Amino acid sequence: MGLELWLRTSLLMGFLTGLLMAIGYVIGGQDAAFLMFLFALAINSFSYWYSDKIVLAWYRARIVDESEAPELYAIVRKLAEKAGIPTPRIAIIPSETPNAFATGRDPKHAVVAVTQGLLRILDRDELEGVIAHELGHVKNRDILISTIAAALAGAIINLAYWARWVAIFGGFGRDDRDGSNVITAILIAILAPIVAMMIQMAISRSREYLADETGARISGKPWALARALEKIEAAVRYRPMSEGNPATAHMFIVNPFRGMSVAELFSTHPPTEKRIARLRKIAEEMGMYF
């Protein structure tokens, strides 16, 4: 892992650890803050090794072998060779909402997950464009920090919900007669999910542009990726995912939770129109027009 990635991952873990400790302090004072610190150390370590499994489990994604998806494996293998990375494992998500994401702690342990809906609506060129985009995330080593961010953001959002209940029923053994503890708990319950989503936005938006470019050059078909993005965007608006964890929205090629108020307010992805415009410029640089 490069120094820049270590720094970005360490800063993310440190910031989210501090946020967890703040929530713990509101819930139960210094003792709870220390316990939350220990919990953060444990979840940081667990997230590094197992966050990919957590995310896959959230979507009931099943790892498939080559005999089950020979065409998909052929596409992934060909593009991985062009990208100069090991061939990732492949997982199928039982959802009719077309989408895809990549996860894992490094290229040697990467998984590319696609939904059943994606396989249904895209032709081979478009599917290659999407797979190449996800392999771009793997090649650019985005998958570790994005997967850890999903796991930690999910933990923070859940703890914020607990803080809301503490605000309603009172702190655990703390002197909050002046109401300050209740007010602070309410603020954390409101602000913690917002902060977690803002972190997702900061991680995702710039990396999506880079993955688009990397994927377009890996596949040699920027027009196919652009066409796939249009199809996925339209399908997600018509049928957003009804199950899943919004903390993972930044991992998908297109935000799968369009139509949900929180997901709309805090967009984790650049506008699809801007992504397509950039792909047009890349295509022109490659001597292609669409």
Side-chain angles (χ1 to χ4, degrees):
M1 190 190 306
L3 178 59
E4 179 185 356
L5 183 58
W6 269 119
L7 289 174
R8 287 197 294 137
T9 304
S10 298
L11 286 172
L12 172 67
M13 288 181 166
F15 182 82
L16 295 185
T17 296
L19 191 55
L20 287 171
M21 291 177 66
I23 294 174
Y25 182 80
V26 169
I27 292 175
Q30 293 183 353
D31 291 341
F34 179 72
L35 290 175
M36 199 61 68
F37 171 72
L38 296 178
F39 171 72
L41 291 181
I43 197 172
N44 281 339
S45 177
F46 188 82
S47 295
Y48 178 81
W49 293 104
Y50 300 108
S51 54
D52 56 336
K53 294 180 176 59
I54 295 172
V55 174
L56 291 172
W58 279 337
Y59 292 94
R60 296 179 290 121
R62 183 175 64 89
I63 301 292
V64 296
D65 58 33
E66 190 167 359
S67 64
E68 295 178 89
E71 183 178 6
L72 186 55
Y73 259 94
I75 291 172
V76 173
R77 181 179 295 109
K78 180 186 74 172
L79 294 174
E81 288 176 358
K82 292 181 68 175
I85 59 175
T87 302
R89 292 176 296 161
I90 298 173
I92 304 294
I93 302 169
S95 170
E96 284 303 311
T97 302
N99 228 306
F101 66 82
T103 184
R105 64 181 182 271
D106 57 46
K108 292 181 179 179
H109 300 88
V111 179
V112 173
V114 298
T115 66
Q116 292 173 337
L118 187 83
L119 299 175
R120 182 174 53 80
I121 72 167
L122 299 187
D123 63 30
R124 185 182 176 98
D125 286 335
E126 293 161 353
L127 184 58
E128 286 188 12
V130 170
I131 295 298
H133 169 96
E134 297 307 331
L135 295 180
H137 280 306
V138 176
K139 183 178 178 67
N140 298 333
R141 293 182 175 267
D142 297 330
I143 53 175
L144 172 62
I145 192 169
S146 65
T147 306
I148 288 177
L152 295 183
I156 287 173
I157 291 172
N158 287 331
L159 286 170
Y161 289 152
W162 296 348
R164 181 179 62 187
W165 288 108
V166 171
I168 294 173
F169 295 107
F172 299 124
R174 296 195 59 192
D175 183 8
D176 56 355
R177 287 173 296 180
D178 59 358
S180 61
N181 185 53
V182 173
I183 294 173
T184 304
I186 292 173
L187 287 175
I188 286 184
I190 294 172
L191 295 178
I194 295 175
V195 171
M197 290 182 184
M198 289 178 68
I199 292 170
Q200 292 172 273
M201 289 169 57
I203 292 170
S204 177
R205 292 174 73 91
S206 62
R207 307 307 293 183
E208 286 303 314
Y209 283 133
L210 181 58
D212 283 344
E213 179 176 356
T214 304
R217 299 189 186 283
I218 290 172
S219 69
K221 302 174 181 178
W223 51 270
L225 176 55
R227 200 164 63 193
L229 289 174
E230 287 180 330
K231 284 187 176 181
I232 297 169
E233 175 78 17
V236 166
R237 288 194 176 278
Y238 174 74
R239 181 189 285 181
M241 276 191 177
S242 57
E243 297 180 357
N245 192 326
T248 63
H250 64 286
M251 296 183 65
F252 287 85
I253 191 169
V254 171
N255 186 342
F257 302 109
R258 295 292 174 85
M260 295 173 61
S261 58
V262 174
E264 285 287 351
L265 182 61
F266 299 101
S267 176
T268 57
H269 292 67
T272 299
E273 296 80 7
K274 290 186 177 181
R275 295 172 68 182
I276 291 173
R278 288 188 177 221
L279 286 167
R280 288 185 183 275
K281 291 182 179 179
I282 294 169
E284 291 173 5
E285 292 173 6
M286 298 171 67
M288 304 175 185
Y289 298 90
F290 64 91

